[in-house]
Amino acid sequence: RLERGEISLEEWLVAVSEAAAAAGRELDLAPMQGLLANLTVHTAVVEHVAALRAEGYRTALVTNNVREGADTWRAMIDVDGLFDVVVDSSSVGMRKPNPAIYRHALELLGDVAPHRAVFLDDAEGNVAGAREAGLHAILVPDPPEQALSELDELLGRPAPSD
């Protein structure tokens, strides 16, 4: 519900704390406090997306997020310069891996047919959801270079020269 924008982060924290207390559990939220602060940007991915967009490919970002975190992650990269479309789960009321969010992104890109789209993600469930929606999908490991090579191969792009 939080990532679909149905409740605020504060409401979620209250509900989770109450649920933990009712279950007789102690909840340690310390790891969550640094979540946004620990986000990393893979320069290789940013450069790859920029190159694809410069070549005329339409690009979209589909992200599961919370409203309260939007300013933080958006400040990390030139989101609007890299992506034609940004689909934030907390703004559209649906989240990955629901196939509807991928179809929504394709509609915003100009009714792109699913079989003509490629989705990359670091979570297997999200990749499965994209495939269910009819998209090609690539699981991205850390580091992401292998996935970028798979993408280039799928698109028929030449390998970048060193």
Side-chain angles (χ1 to χ4, degrees):
R1 292 181 58 215
L2 175 64
E3 288 182 341
R4 289 192 308 260
E6 297 169 6
I7 59 173
S8 69
L9 181 57
E10 184 176 332
E11 290 170 312
W12 180 83
L13 287 169
V14 168
V16 167
S17 296
E18 288 174 354
R25 304 278 175 122
E26 187 173 322
L27 188 60
D28 179 12
L29 296 174
M32 285 194 59
Q33 292 173 341
L35 188 62
L36 285 175
N38 292 327
L39 289 176
T40 57
V41 173
H42 288 283
T43 304
V45 174
V46 171
E47 291 171 352
H48 215 90
V49 172
L52 287 169
R53 192 156 188 218
E55 292 172 21
Y57 287 94
R58 307 260 306 145
T59 58
L61 173 68
V62 179
T63 181
N64 285 347
N65 238 304
V66 299
R67 284 181 294 216
E68 294 84 354
D71 290 342
T72 301
W73 68 264
R74 282 181 166 272
M76 297 178 74
I77 59 172
D78 180 14
V79 174
D80 296 322
L82 289 169
F83 302 101
D84 296 292
V85 169
V86 176
V87 178
D88 183 325
S89 65
S90 66
S91 297
V92 299
M94 56 188 130
R95 63 183 298 280
K96 301 179 289 185
N98 181 345
I101 197 167
Y102 309 105
R103 289 191 289 268
H104 180 68
L106 295 176
E107 288 171 14
L108 294 176
L109 282 169
D111 286 324
V112 172
H115 73 278
R116 296 190 44 84
V118 184
F119 175 77
L120 288 83
D121 200 288
D122 62 351
E124 288 184 30
N126 295 339
V127 168
R131 287 183 179 141
E132 186 179 331
L135 287 75
H136 296 276
I138 299 171
L139 182 63
V140 180
D142 187 9
E145 283 72 17
Q146 176 59 38
L148 298 177
S149 294
E150 288 180 43
L151 174 62
D152 287 342
E153 185 177 326
L154 187 62
L155 296 176
R157 292 178 78 227
S161 56
D162 295 323

